[in-house]
Amino acid sequence: MKVAQYFKILVDNIPLVNEGGVGNNTDLSQINLNDIDHIEIVEGSMGVSYGANAVSGVLNIITKKSSKYKWNIHASVQEETVSNVYALFDKGRHIQSLRASHTFSKNWFVSAGINRNEFQGYLGDRKGKNYLENDKTRGYTWLPKEQLNGNALISYQKDRFRIFYKFEFLDEMWIINTGYVQHLYILLVLHWELIAIVKI
């Protein structure tokens, strides 16, 4: 799912940016759905309160920081077609996620999760990466990519006071190529981010 440039996306009140580091054209499938507690939506121009890109509204994704259960373990598998193209390992989009959390007491809570998002690309009118003719039809209309996203959280809460530390990791690899056959025609790009959040 792609969101508009002038609609601000927040995760726990922290701006979410795309893999290029700017703008809001963000793939929300990189967020583990099992980690979401609730979503707040604010309509209208909110640039004064939320800063740049909050022209049409704000979506704030609040993650889980407590649980009424001592242990929670969630695992999910999501399979998607791209247009009408799908195969179990070779075509379409394949997402797997795992999240575990533990409540030590009424005050302490920890959780950790991992999300793998594999997109096999979309050919459209192209012939794929192994096509060897120089007629500008080699490659993909939408490039393949693979994302590995992990997070961990520790939270302390007492009465109306809450403090938490959250760690997130994103490792992304995608294939970039042109329509021409070259000697080295596949370039693998690795992008990673370490994000630490402390909120009081």
Side-chain angles (χ1 to χ4, degrees), residues 160-190:
R160 297 181 64 182
F161 172 80
R162 170 180 286 162
I163 184 171
F164 67 90
Y165 177 81
K166 186 175 184 180
F167 171 84
E168 293 197 9
F169 173 79
L170 172 64
D171 184 7
E172 183 174 58
M173 181 178 68
W174 67 96
I175 295 176
I176 299 174
N177 53 37
T178 65
Y180 297 100
V181 176
Q182 301 168 359
H183 178 62
L184 296 173
Y185 60 92
I186 299 178
L187 174 65
L188 297 180
V189 180
L190 185 66

Side-chain angles (χ1 to χ4, degrees), residues 79 86-92 94 96 118 120:
E79 299 291 316
Y86 175 80
L88 188 58
F89 298 107
D90 299 329
K91 298 174 183 177
H94 316 282
Q96 304 89 35
E118 183 184 18
Q120 294 290 339

Side-chain angles (χ1 to χ4, degrees), residues 46-109:
M46 298 300 296
V48 173
S49 301
Y50 292 95
N53 293 342
V55 175
S56 61
V58 175
L59 184 138
N60 191 10
I61 300 170
I62 306 299
T63 58
K64 294 176 182 175
K65 298 174 191 67
S66 63
S67 175
K68 61 182 179 180
Y69 302 107
K70 190 166 183 67
W71 282 98
N72 273 313
I73 299 175
H74 297 276
S76 66
V77 175
Q78 179 178 334
E79 299 291 316
E80 296 180 9
T81 63
V82 180
S83 184
N84 59 353
V85 178
Y86 175 80
L88 188 58
F89 298 107
D90 299 329
K91 298 174 183 177
R93 173 176 271 179
H94 316 282
I95 303 171
Q96 304 89 35
S97 65
L98 177 65
R99 181 181 183 272
S101 64
H102 179 57
T103 303
F104 287 100
S105 66
K106 65 179 183 179
N107 304 115
W108 288 97
F109 173 79

Side-chain angles (χ1 to χ4, degrees), residues 132-170:
L132 298 179
E133 298 295 325
N134 270 327
D135 56 5
K136 297 185 180 180
T137 60
R138 197 182 134 275
Y140 298 86
T141 300
W142 297 341
L143 296 174
K145 70 177 179 179
E146 181 178 358
Q147 293 176 328
L148 189 62
N149 188 9
N151 63 68
L153 177 136
I154 182 166
S155 173
Y156 175 80
Q157 178 177 350
K158 186 171 184 180
D159 299 326
R160 297 181 64 182
F161 172 80
R162 170 180 286 162
I163 184 171
F164 67 90
Y165 177 81
K166 186 175 184 180
F167 171 84
E168 293 197 9
F169 173 79
L170 172 64

